[in-house]
């Protein structure tokens, strides 16, 4: 398996622009997670899905952020409008059966976002 | 918000040294503790998942112990090698099917020759 795939790997945009980050989880995994990594806050969970349904989006910073999972093999994280403070590395992770206590998450390579 | 603390924040040791780090977390509603290893410019990779009080896991030169009653876990590396240089993250999971991992800020280990 190719692992979790994220695109783009790097994104540089200007303040006010819309940004869309994409993730393809490992085939057969039914849980998907979006994380943001910053120097100040470390690795923080933004939202996660079970069977394509959002379960917990309490980590989404504000209304400018939205996430969708239209099917089991694709998810997007959108920021509109983007701001310089959104600059971070965004990771997507997937898990086979998240309700199973010993299951682990597999992380993608991340998207480094820079908002000028 | 779950308070997860890791110490030390960073550590610099020489090749061959043994070292250990601490992860502290609330003991209430404990479900599992995950350890991840995160190399620079790569993605976090799972090391261990621990569930039972007194649990001990081992993978090569790396081992971990768990105390769920007092809410801490230790990660040990025996005979550190340069390839062990990474940030080590712990993440407890609480009870409930919608529970999630809350990552600590990690211990950054650098092993030099």
């Amino acid at each position: 398996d190719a692992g979790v795939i994220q695109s783009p790997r790097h994104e540089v945009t200007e303040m006010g622009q819309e940004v869309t980050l994409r993730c393809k989880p490992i085939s057969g995994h039914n849980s998907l997670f979006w994380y943001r990594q910053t120097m100040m806050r470390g690795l923080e969970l933004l939202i996660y899905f079970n069977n394509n349904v959002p379960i917990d989006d309490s980590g989404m910073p504000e209304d400018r952020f939205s996430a969708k999972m239209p099917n089991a093999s694709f998810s997007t994280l959108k920021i509109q409008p983007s701001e310089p403070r959104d600059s971070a590395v965004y990771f997507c992770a997937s898990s086979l059966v998240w309700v199973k206590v010993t299951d682990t998450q597999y992380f993608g390579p991340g998207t480094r976002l820079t908002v000028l | 918000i779950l308070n997860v603390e890791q110490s030390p924040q960073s550590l610099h040791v020489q090749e061959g040294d043994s070292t250990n780090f601490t992860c502290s977390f609330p003991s209430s509603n404990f479900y599992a503790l995950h350890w991840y290893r995160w190399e620079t410019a790569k993605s976090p990779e799972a090391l261990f998942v621990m569930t039972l009080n007194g649990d001990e896991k081992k993978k090569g030169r790396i081992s971990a112990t768990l105390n769920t009653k007092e809410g801490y876990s230790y990660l040990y590396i025996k005979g550190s090698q340069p390839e062990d240089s990474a940030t080590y993250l712990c993440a407890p999971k609480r009870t409930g099917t919608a529970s999630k991992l809350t990552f600590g800020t990690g211990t950054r280990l650098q092993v030099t020759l």
Side-chain angles (χ1 to χ4, degrees), chain A residues 82-104:
Chain A
S82 57
E83 296 182 3
R85 59 192 169 120
D86 302 329
S87 298
V89 181
Y90 291 81
F91 286 98
C92 175
S94 72
S95 177
L96 182 59
V97 181
W98 189 235
V99 294
K100 185 180 172 186
V101 65
T102 56
D103 212 23
T104 57

Side-chain angles (χ1 to χ4, degrees), chain A residues 9 35 37 41-43 45 48 50 55-56 58-59 91 98-110, chain B residues 1 31-32 34 36 38 41-51 89 93 97-105:
Chain A
R9 295 291 305 276
Y35 289 92
Q37 188 236 341
R41 299 171 69 95
L43 193 62
L45 178 68
Y48 79 95
N50 268 351
I55 301 300
D56 187 338
S58 58
F91 286 98
W98 189 235
V99 294
K100 185 180 172 186
V101 65
T102 56
D103 212 23
T104 57
Q105 296 181 18
Y106 295 82
F107 282 76
Chain B
I1 297 176
Y31 197 44
H34 294 239
Y36 280 78
W38 194 356
K42 293 190 178 180
S43 309
E45 290 184 349
L47 270 177
F48 304 116
V49 181
M50 310 174 77
T51 56
L89 299 170
K93 187 178 180 187
T97 57
S99 61
K100 57 192 178 187
L101 291 180
T102 301
F103 284 90
T105 51

Side-chain angles (χ1 to χ4, degrees), chain B residues 1-7 22-26 33-35 71 89-94 100-106:
Chain B
I1 297 176
L2 198 61
N3 188 26
V4 182
E5 295 184 358
Q6 290 191 248
S7 62
T22 304
C23 170
S24 300
F25 50 88
L33 182 79
H34 294 239
W35 278 100
L89 299 170
C90 71
K93 187 178 180 187
R94 307 184 93 180
K100 57 192 178 187
L101 291 180
T102 301
F103 284 90
T105 51

Side-chain angles (χ1 to χ4, degrees), chain B residues 95-113:
Chain B
T95 53
T97 57
S99 61
K100 57 192 178 187
L101 291 180
T102 301
F103 284 90
T105 51
T107 292
R108 185 181 176 122
L109 173 67
Q110 188 169 354
V111 183
T112 53
L113 296 170

Side-chain angles (χ1 to χ4, degrees), chain A residues 16-42:
Chain A
Q17 296 297 305
E18 178 180 293
V19 174
T20 299
L21 312 181
R22 297 173 177 81
C23 175
K24 177 178 167 51
I26 292 173
S27 178
H29 281 194
N30 70 358
S31 296
L32 183 138
F33 308 81
W34 282 102
Y35 289 92
R36 178 171 67 176
Q37 188 236 341
T38 60
M39 290 292 291
M40 292 294 291
R41 299 171 69 95

